[in-house]
Amino acid sequence: MVTIALSIMFALLAAASNALGTVLQRRAALTVPASRSLRLGLIRDLVHTPVWFGGMLGVVFAALFQALALATGSLAAVQPIFILELPLALVIGGMVFHVGLSRKAWLCVVCIVAGLALVLLSLAPTGGREQVPGIWWLPALAVTGGIGAALVLTGLRRPAGLMRAASLAAAAAIGNAVTAALVKSAMNILSAQGAVAFFTAWQTYGFAAVGAFSLFLLGVAMQGGPLIGSQPALTLGDASVSFCLGVTLYGEQPRAGFWLVPALMGLGVLLYGILGLSHTRCLAQCLDPSRDESDAMGQPATARG
């Protein structure tokens, strides 16, 4: 029980840190002249912005907390908790950008928290192996990589809009899930064999490469269409693929039978909360205040400067 509580606590801290880091980085970006948005001067201006450093610290601590959560808990239980990053970013963004949250937004936040809690309490994944046999990674990476590549190609072939954003965000979500699975494996190597084994393990460089590419894909997705396309695909895709990898790769066992009934009910409430929140102007203004409201809700971002 203590281990489970620790993993949940670290996962919550990671979600909160990443939400704070995201909001602070967006706040810092607003202080940079628009004419430098695509120039090297952007990096120089951001480095001299204290808020940007705060955002980077949030991202760094989020990565550390995530690694600790995955080291102490199951992939299928820990990774879905990061869904809470979405409502946390809304609340933090509302305070930073002075955006008032509507009743609908608060209702959606409650639905996300309650739905996620019901799903995890119902399925309660337990057990599983600490390390994945090397040969098992091959089919897992082949399947996830193939699906991710197909989504990227689909997104790039579509014009800027809903489908482009959703396809690219879904690919980024798969990458995030694979990154988490590799982080869990690398953390087990660190705890069992030490730092030398950790820095010589392929999983360490694997999660760094996949994580960086996923972050790049997410940026392209956010620029390629509205939040109502990218945000649900990213949030639900990461949790769903992580859950599947936890069950198939790590052998984690969720409860079945009667417990599927409340789990499905919780999933319905969770879906309502995420989809509803993604349609609110509050979220658009908190996560991308540089856009006009019409752009954030229904049109892709346009280049400025």
Side-chain angles (χ1 to χ4, degrees):
M1 286 297 294
V2 175
T3 302
I4 295 175
L6 279 176
S7 65
I8 293 175
M9 180 189 71
F10 285 134
L12 290 173
L13 288 172
S17 295
N18 209 38
L20 177 62
T22 298
V23 171
L24 290 181
Q25 287 186 69
R26 292 184 183 277
R27 179 68 181 85
L30 292 180
T31 66
V32 177
S35 60
R36 297 187 178 182
S37 59
L38 296 177
R39 301 179 183 178
L40 292 178
L42 171 65
I43 304 298
R44 184 174 62 251
D45 288 343
L46 288 176
V47 168
H48 290 86
T49 304
V51 176
W52 183 78
F53 273 109
M56 289 303 297
L57 283 176
V59 173
V60 170
F61 277 106
L64 292 176
F65 287 136
Q66 181 185 23
L68 291 172
L70 291 170
T72 55
S74 67
L75 181 66
V78 166
Q79 203 63 13
I81 294 177
F82 290 97
I83 289 176
L84 296 179
E85 180 186 335
L86 179 61
L88 286 170
L90 174 71
V91 175
I92 296 172
M95 293 186 291
V96 171
F97 296 111
H98 307 290
V99 175
L101 304 186
S102 65
R103 291 183 180 179
K104 180 182 178 181
W106 281 116
L107 175 61
C108 291
V109 168
V110 172
C111 288
I112 291 174
V113 175
L116 178 63
L118 184 56
V119 170
L120 292 180
L121 288 174
S122 299
L123 297 180
T126 56
R129 58 185 65 88
E130 294 184 354
Q131 189 58 268
V132 178
I135 193 66
W136 289 18
W137 284 106
L138 294 178
L141 294 176
V143 171
T144 54
I147 297 175
L151 287 169
V152 170
L153 291 176
T154 299
L156 293 179
R157 289 175 179 174
R158 302 286 296 185
L162 185 68
M163 288 302 299
R164 182 184 180 94
S167 298
L168 294 175
I174 293 176
N176 287 341
V178 173
T179 299
L182 291 171
V183 167
K184 182 173 178 61
S185 178
M187 289 301 293
N188 175 260
I189 292 174
L190 177 63
S191 62
Q193 303 177 40
V196 174
F198 173 81
F199 284 109
T200 56
W202 70 268
Q203 292 94 328
T204 302
Y205 301 96
F207 80 69
V210 176
F213 185 65
S214 300
L215 185 61
F216 168 75
L217 275 182
L218 178 58
V220 177
M222 296 290 286
Q223 290 295 320
L227 287 173
I228 59 175
S230 60
Q231 201 61 57
L234 176 70
T235 306
L236 295 173
D238 188 355
S240 301
V241 177
S242 294
F243 187 88
C244 292
L245 290 176
V247 172
T248 56
L249 268 182
Y250 283 93
E252 298 161 1
Q253 300 177 352
R255 292 191 290 197
F258 166 79
W259 291 104
L260 293 178
V261 176
L264 290 174
M265 293 174 60
L267 180 60
V269 174
L270 179 62
L271 286 172
Y272 172 82
I274 292 175
L275 293 175
L277 190 58
S278 299
H279 280 77
T280 61
R281 295 189 182 277
C282 302
L283 183 67
Q285 292 168 355
C286 289
L287 292 187
D288 202 351
S290 61
R291 293 187 188 181
D292 295 330
E293 289 185 357
S294 57
D295 288 341
M297 291 303 299
Q299 300 294 332
T302 55
R304 285 176 166 79

